[in-house]
Amino acid sequence: MTHTTVHAYAAPAPKAPLERTTIVRRELGAHDILIEVKYAGICHSDIHTARAEWGEGGHFPIVPGHEIAGVVAEVGSAVTRYAPGDRVGVGCFVDSCRECENCRAGLQQYCTGELGNVGTYGATGRDGQVTQGGYSTHLVADENYVLRIPESIPLDAAAPLLCAGITLYSPLAHWKAGPGKKVAVVGLGGLGHMGVKIAHAMGAEVTVLSQSLRKKEDGLRLGADHYHATSDPATFEELAGTFDLILSTVSAELDLNAYFGLLRTDGTFVQLGLPEHPLPVAAFALVTQRKSFAGSMIGGIPETQEMLDFCGEHGIASDIELIRADQINEAYERVLASDVRYRFVIDAATI
């Protein structure tokens, strides 16, 4: 392997601006792939981690990035799935125990083994080293945790599918969104806009529930059938008992019980965003119509590949704004100000 030391952008300490640096990638093992990173999406999780906002202390310096699209540069001696030149992606995790019931079922994101699901950055891998993410020129990953990106999806717009795309595809598939189903997406941001596109492609009737009507034109262009402002109390009266499935993509602290009122009998509200504080739930809001309050987190490797293939077939990609690596810190501030439509993607050639 020729690349050991590679260029990257890292947060040197909690809350410190990201800066250009170098990191060491492991030597290529028998089942490893060296990926030349072409593009890396910016996810809100990257910001939480770089600013140590999830209270885990964290490992610093840290290279974020788990929406990674690139090209295979080199393969290990036993690699069978990929060859140099293949278009590939890496998502939110790069390993798992491989032996627990969930791993064997292809639900590696819910790995219950001792190793757990090993995050693409900030986690401790089976070699005892801390993982570093996709804001870098190259990445080494096990072939079993690498995805194939269809030729029909531009690589830059494919990157956010590896987190935002699968985060929405998984619950839509699990709760069987499709013709005859009414689906609401709360929030039209990096996650929400993917939810609208995917639910529409699955054949569901799609409604966006957003604070204001500011992005209504966008929402309808992306595939929504209806668009309502949640700041208007009339919305909750008008849509009472309407939806089979509501997906909340926001990390704001919503009045959950008001949203439960929008579900029909047997409807499900799925929490995807991660609010900072616990949210109060009134039991009566659920029990009176056998409603469910659920959560969902990304997808396993088979389902993520299924999502990429689905997006390839339906011409779905993320709406992105391509930036240079030296714009990452500015992009973080713009994400926090909701000033992006709808996902920043770093051009790795500028790292």
Side-chain angles (χ1 to χ4, degrees):
M1 171 180 167
T2 52
H3 300 87
T4 308
T5 300
V6 305
H7 289 289
Y9 265 74
K15 300 181 172 49
L18 275 75
E19 55 188 39
R20 191 167 185 259
T21 186
T22 57
I23 58 171
V24 175
R25 292 296 190 190
R26 70 171 183 260
E27 292 294 316
L28 221 57
H31 287 278
D32 282 340
I33 294 174
L34 174 66
I35 298 168
E36 182 186 346
V37 178
K38 296 292 189 182
Y39 301 100
I42 291 180
C43 174
H44 207 135
S45 302
D46 300 347
I47 303 175
H48 286 308
T49 302
R51 300 188 175 185
E53 290 173 348
W54 279 340
E56 70 273 28
H59 302 279
F60 288 87
I62 188 74
V63 177
H66 59 206
E67 298 182 337
I68 304 162
V71 174
V72 175
E74 201 178 323
V75 298
S77 59
V79 169
T80 57
R81 296 171 184 231
Y82 300 100
D86 286 353
R87 292 155 45 97
V88 294
V90 172
C92 299
F93 58 94
V94 290
D95 205 352
S96 62
C97 85
R98 312 183 189 204
E99 295 166 358
C100 71
E101 186 180 355
N102 286 345
C103 281
R104 291 200 308 273
L107 298 170
Q108 297 93 341
Q109 77 274 35
Y110 302 128
C111 174
T112 57
E114 198 173 328
L115 189 65
N117 114 32
V118 178
T120 303
Y121 59 85
T124 303
R126 62 177 68 228
D127 60 0
Q129 300 300 304
V130 174
T131 55
Q132 300 288 358
Y135 296 9
S136 60
T137 57
H138 295 79
L139 182 81
V140 175
D142 184 292
E143 66 173 328
N144 295 293
Y145 295 80
V146 174
L147 291 308
R148 190 176 298 279
I149 296 176
E151 293 288 340
S152 58
I153 309 175
L155 270 185
D156 54 357
L161 299 180
L162 278 305
C163 173
I166 186 58
T167 295
L168 273 296
Y169 182 90
S170 186
L172 286 166
H174 183 76
W175 278 280
K176 299 180 171 50
K181 291 287 182 80
K182 293 186 176 183
V183 175
V185 177
V186 182
L188 191 70
L191 294 177
H193 93 287
M194 290 309 312
V196 170
K197 289 186 178 196
I198 294 168
H200 174 72
M202 288 178 168
E205 184 178 331
V206 186
T207 298
V208 174
L209 300 174
S210 185
Q211 275 186 300
S212 72
L213 299 177
R214 187 167 56 94
K215 299 179 185 174
K216 181 175 181 178
E217 202 173 304
D218 265 12
L220 299 177
R221 172 180 64 81
L222 294 167
D225 300 287
H226 317 283
Y227 200 108
H228 294 271
T230 54
S231 54
D232 181 356
T235 292
F236 290 88
E237 294 171 25
E238 184 186 337
L239 300 177
T242 295
F243 301 108
D244 298 286
L245 182 65
I246 300 176
L247 304 178
S248 175
T249 68
V250 301
S251 48
E253 288 163 24
L254 302 178
D255 176 357
L256 288 181
N257 304 303
Y259 284 84
F260 295 158
L262 303 180
L263 292 169
R264 59 190 306 181
T265 304
D266 287 329
T268 302
F269 181 102
V270 184
Q271 187 66 42
L272 303 172
L274 296 170
E276 193 178 342
H277 302 292
L279 301 173
V281 171
F284 268 106
L286 294 173
V287 301
T288 49
Q289 292 296 320
R290 199 166 57 191
K291 298 169 183 177
S292 300
F293 178 35
S296 178
M297 185 181 78
I298 52 172
I301 295 297
E303 188 175 53
T304 305
Q305 189 62 60
E306 179 186 301
M307 175 275 304
L308 287 167
D309 295 341
F310 178 89
C311 288
E313 288 162 24
H314 291 84
I316 295 173
S318 186
D319 283 25
I320 65 164
E321 185 175 329
L322 196 62
I323 63 166
R324 299 186 314 274
D326 62 10
Q327 295 174 291
I328 292 172
N329 293 306
E330 177 194 338
Y332 274 21
E333 295 306 323
R334 286 182 55 195
V335 169
L336 297 174
S338 299
D339 177 26
V340 54
R341 295 195 179 181
Y342 280 90
R343 205 64 152 183
F344 284 119
V345 173
I346 303 159
D347 181 351
T350 64
I351 294 174

